[in-house]
Amino acid sequence: MRAIVPVYRAVQPCQARIAPPSLVPMISRIFPDRFVPVLFATVLLASLLPVRGAAVPVAQGVSTAAIVFLFFLNGVRLPREEVLHGIRNWKLQGGALAYCFGVMALFGLAAQAATAPLLPATLALGFLFLGILPSTVQSATAASSLAGGNVAASVVAAALLNLSGVALSPLLFAALAGSAGEIHGEAVLRIVSILLVPFIAGQLVQRWLRPWVLAHRGLATFMDRSAIAIAVYVAFSAAVVAGIWQLLDGREVAIVGATVALLLALAFGGAWLFGGLLKLARPDRITLLFSGAQKSIAVGAPLAATLFPPAVAGMVLVPILVYHMAQLILSAWIAPVLNRSAPV
C-alpha cells in the first residue's frame, strides 16, 4: 500500500489536467441547497403533468395527509427546552419576531400594493402572503453557522418563529389582506385540525420520538421535504389547470422576478441594519440577519393549501417559491463573506 500511494500522488496532477472540470462544484455553487432543484423540478412536473379529473381528490387527500405529517414531525423535532432557554436573550429573539412578522409583513404589503395594478390580484396577494410567513429552520441555522453567527440562538429563533407562525401568520394575513384574506370558520377549522393539532401532538410525544428523529436526520429531512414538494405539486397543478401560464406573460414574470429581487435586498439589508440599531453583538446580528430575512416554504405551502382553493393557492405560492429558492442561493453567497470579514 505504501508503494502505491506515491505513484497515485504522482499521477493525480496529470489526471487533473486532462479531465474535464466536474459539474458538481459548479452546481453546488448555483444551488447550495439540494432542495432548490427539487422545487424547480416540482414546478416543472406540475406544469407538464398536472393532476386532472378524478385524480384531483386523491391528490388533495395525499397532500393533506403529507401536511399533517409534516407539522407532526415539526412538533417532534422543535426542542421545547432550547426554546425556553433561548428566550432569555430577549433582545435578539424579540428583534427576530418583530422583524419577521412586523417589518417583513410591511414589506410584503407594500409589494402587494405596488404590483396590484400590474399583476393578477391573487399573484400580487402572494407578496403579502410571503411577508407574513415565519423563517426557515434548517437553512437559516446552517447559514448562521457558516457565517460565524450564534448557532444556539439561531436554533431558538427558528423554533420561536415557527411556533409563533402557526398561529400568527394566518391572523396577520387576515388583518392585512382585507376581504381577500378573510378567514371563515371552515378555514379556521382546517388550520387548527391540519396544522395546529398535529404540531401539538408532536410536541406531546416528543419525549419518546425525538431521539429516533434525531438519530435518523436524513430520513426525517427526506420525509418533510417530500411533504412540501407534494403540497407544492398539488397546488401548482391546480393553478396550471386553471391556466396560470395563459394568465402570465413574459412581462408579468419579469415583474415577479424584479419584485422578489427588491424584496431580497430590502429584507437582508434591512435585517442587518436592524441588528445594528439594536446594538447586537456580531454573532447575534448574523443570527437576526438570516432568521429575519428568510421565509419558509415549509409553512407557506401547507398554509396556502389550507387557506385557499387549490387553483388560487398555486398562484399565491409563486412569489414565495421564487423568493425561497433565491434566498438560499443568496444566503450561501453572503455567509462565507461575513465569516471572512469577521474581526480577528
Side-chain angles (χ1 to χ4, degrees):
M1 180 64 73
R2 290 179 181 174
I4 294 174
V5 174
V7 174
Y8 170 76
R9 287 175 178 168
V11 173
Q12 196 176 19
C14 180
Q15 289 178 331
R17 290 190 204 102
I18 62 175
S22 173
L23 289 177
V24 174
M26 184 185 304
I27 294 172
S28 298
R29 285 194 293 269
I30 298 173
F31 300 122
D33 189 300
R34 293 179 183 177
F35 193 47
V36 175
V38 171
L39 285 175
F40 272 123
T42 301
V43 171
L44 180 62
L45 181 62
S47 299
L48 298 176
L49 295 171
V51 179
R52 298 178 183 272
V56 171
V58 177
Q60 290 176 352
V62 171
S63 176
T64 300
I67 291 167
V68 168
F69 179 75
L70 171 65
F71 275 79
F72 174 78
L73 193 60
N74 283 340
V76 172
R77 191 160 36 198
L78 290 178
R80 287 193 302 274
E81 296 80 5
E82 291 183 15
V83 171
L84 294 174
H85 177 72
I87 290 174
R88 296 173 187 170
N89 192 346
W90 61 269
K91 186 186 286 189
L92 171 59
Q93 304 304 342
L97 281 165
Y99 193 84
C100 184
F101 295 116
V103 177
M104 287 299 295
L106 293 177
F107 284 161
L109 184 63
Q112 181 204 7
T115 57
L118 307 172
L119 298 174
T122 50
L123 182 56
L125 188 65
F127 287 108
L128 173 59
F129 184 74
L130 183 163
I132 54 86
L133 292 174
S135 177
T136 57
V137 178
Q138 293 97 330
S139 60
T141 303
S144 181
S145 175
L146 185 61
N150 186 337
V151 178
S154 294
V155 173
V156 173
L160 281 175
L161 291 171
N162 279 266
L163 282 168
S164 304
V166 173
L168 193 56
S169 290
L171 294 176
L172 267 176
F173 184 75
L176 296 175
S179 59
E182 187 175 352
I183 300 178
H184 301 283
E186 183 180 351
V188 173
L189 183 62
R190 281 178 59 81
I191 291 169
V192 171
S193 60
I194 295 176
L195 307 184
L196 195 55
V197 170
F199 185 87
I200 293 172
Q203 288 278 290
L204 291 175
V205 300
Q206 186 179 88
R207 176 183 175 184
W208 298 281
L209 292 186
R210 190 164 183 266
W212 186 91
V213 170
L214 293 180
H216 299 82
R217 290 179 187 272
L219 178 60
T221 299
F222 172 79
M223 289 189 293
D224 67 10
R225 292 189 170 189
S226 297
I228 297 164
I230 291 169
V232 170
Y233 173 70
V234 173
F236 208 80
S237 287
V240 170
V241 172
I244 185 173
W245 295 126
Q246 286 73 44
L247 293 172
L248 297 181
D249 55 27
R251 180 186 68 88
E252 291 167 332
V253 172
I255 290 170
V256 171
T259 306
V260 167
L262 179 59
L263 275 176
L264 282 167
L266 289 172
F268 280 80
W272 187 250
L273 292 174
F274 190 60
L277 289 174
L278 293 177
K279 294 182 169 45
L280 296 177
R282 182 182 174 87
D284 288 351
R285 194 176 179 186
I286 289 171
T287 291
L288 177 62
L289 171 68
F290 294 109
S291 298
Q294 289 197 3
K295 291 293 180 176
S296 174
I297 190 68
V299 175
L303 184 59
T306 305
L307 287 176
F308 307 107
V312 175
M315 188 74 87
V316 169
L317 279 174
V318 170
I320 180 58
L321 280 169
V322 178
Y323 187 95
H324 182 87
M325 291 185 280
Q327 75 184 2
L328 296 180
I329 297 170
L330 181 61
S331 296
W333 290 340
I334 290 174
V337 174
L338 287 172
N339 200 340
R340 288 194 298 268
S341 63
V344 179

